[in-house]
């Protein structure tokens, strides 16, 4: 029987994220999650039908935790009124920093993406989440008046994701200053000469 204590479930899923980031998908066991979450042995098996269920819920939880809080969203919406490339670049640098700050979440997400190549249910959850996220980013961009078009948003998404992977996995390849400069240059180059590029 699957239990319904939402707070305990969230603690277990957060524990799964930490295990994935530290030990990879092969290290993700109910026993490891119980130990990480600091709960009695056997607890995770009462909350998740199987390992696939745990992975799927961990995938959804990473995206939930990566979302900015309401104060950040309000501040960003206010700042986009300027509608220029420098404002856009500043928002993208902030995004990279916020995602990089949740290091274990992003590393766990990379592990889950690899697992998704073998697990159709997990692939479906991650695909739906990424499509929704990308769609929301394009919609936000279009309503904000920031320079560039939907293709520029998609290209920035792909570019910045790899920059984040580089930063989290091989942090000495680029300095912080180089990463920030590359974000700024990516925004400038992807929005120059496009409608709304001011």
């Amino acid at each position: 029987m699957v239990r319904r204590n939402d707070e305990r479930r969230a603690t277990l899923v957060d524990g799964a994220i930490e295990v994935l980031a530290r030990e990879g998908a092969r290290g993700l066991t109910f026993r490891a999650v119980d130990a990480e979450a600091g709960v009695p042995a056997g607890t995770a098996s009462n909350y998740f039908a199987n390992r696939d269920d745990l992975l799927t819920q961990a995938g959804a939880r990473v995206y939930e935790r990566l979302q900015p809080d309401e104060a950040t969203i309000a501040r960003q919406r206010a700042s986009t009124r300027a509608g220029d490339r420098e404002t856009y670049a500043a928002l993208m640098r902030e995004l990279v920093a916020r995602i990089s700050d949740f290091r274990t979440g992003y590393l766990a997400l990379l592990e889950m993406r690899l697992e998704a190549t073998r697990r159709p249910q997990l692939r479906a959850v991650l695909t739906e989440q990424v499509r929704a996220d990308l769609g929301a980013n394009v919609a936000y961009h279009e309503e904000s008046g920031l320079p560039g078009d939907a293709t520029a948003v998609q290209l920035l998404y792909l570019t910045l994701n790899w920059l984040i992977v580089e930063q989290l996995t091989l942090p000495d390849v680029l300095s912080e200053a180089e990463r920030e400069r590359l974000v700024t240059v990516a925004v400038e180059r992807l929005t120059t000469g496009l409608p709304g590029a001011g």
Side-chain angles (χ1 to χ4, degrees), residues 84-135:
D84 60 15
R85 280 195 295 268
E86 181 45 45
T87 300
Y88 194 9
L91 289 171
M92 294 301 98
R93 288 190 301 268
E94 182 180 301
L95 172 73
V96 169
R98 181 171 46 78
I99 291 172
S100 298
D101 284 347
F102 184 27
R103 183 177 190 277
T104 56
Y106 203 85
L107 292 175
L109 186 57
L110 292 176
E111 286 288 336
M112 285 184 271
R113 282 181 172 229
L114 291 172
E115 279 295 301
T117 64
R118 298 175 288 274
R119 298 175 184 275
Q121 185 180 4
L122 180 59
R123 181 177 29 225
V125 167
L126 293 179
T127 298
E128 181 181 331
Q129 184 63 57
V130 171
R131 275 194 187 140
D133 222 24
L134 197 49

Side-chain angles (χ1 to χ4, degrees), residues 6-16 33 36-39 61:
D6 292 336
E7 188 176 322
R8 174 66 58 93
R9 179 181 300 276
T11 299
L12 290 163
V13 174
D14 287 341
V33 170
E36 181 65 35
V39 297
R61 178 76 169 146

Side-chain angles (χ1 to χ4, degrees), residues 24-108:
R26 287 192 172 163
L28 185 69
T29 63
F30 284 165
R31 179 176 289 162
V33 170
D34 288 340
E36 181 65 35
V39 297
T43 302
S45 63
N46 290 324
Y47 282 82
F48 306 100
N50 51 43
R51 194 167 172 269
D52 282 350
D53 183 27
L54 178 59
L55 276 165
T56 300
Q57 290 191 43
R61 178 76 169 146
V62 167
Y63 280 100
E64 179 185 311
R65 289 182 57 190
L66 284 172
Q67 295 303 313
D69 60 28
E70 291 300 321
T72 301
I73 292 170
R75 185 179 45 72
Q76 288 176 341
R77 286 193 187 278
S79 72
T80 59
R81 292 191 184 114
D84 60 15
R85 280 195 295 268
E86 181 45 45
T87 300
Y88 194 9
L91 289 171
M92 294 301 98
R93 288 190 301 268
E94 182 180 301
L95 172 73
V96 169
R98 181 171 46 78
I99 291 172
S100 298
D101 284 347
F102 184 27
R103 183 177 190 277
T104 56
Y106 203 85
L107 292 175

Side-chain angles (χ1 to χ4, degrees), residues 165-191:
V165 168
E166 198 76 25
Q167 180 176 342
L168 295 179
T169 60
L170 299 171
D172 297 327
V173 170
L174 298 167
S175 69
E176 183 177 345
E178 287 173 313
R179 288 190 300 267
E180 289 196 2
R181 182 186 65 79
L182 287 170
V183 171
T184 300
V185 171
V187 169
E188 289 172 358
R189 291 192 181 175
L190 289 170
T191 61

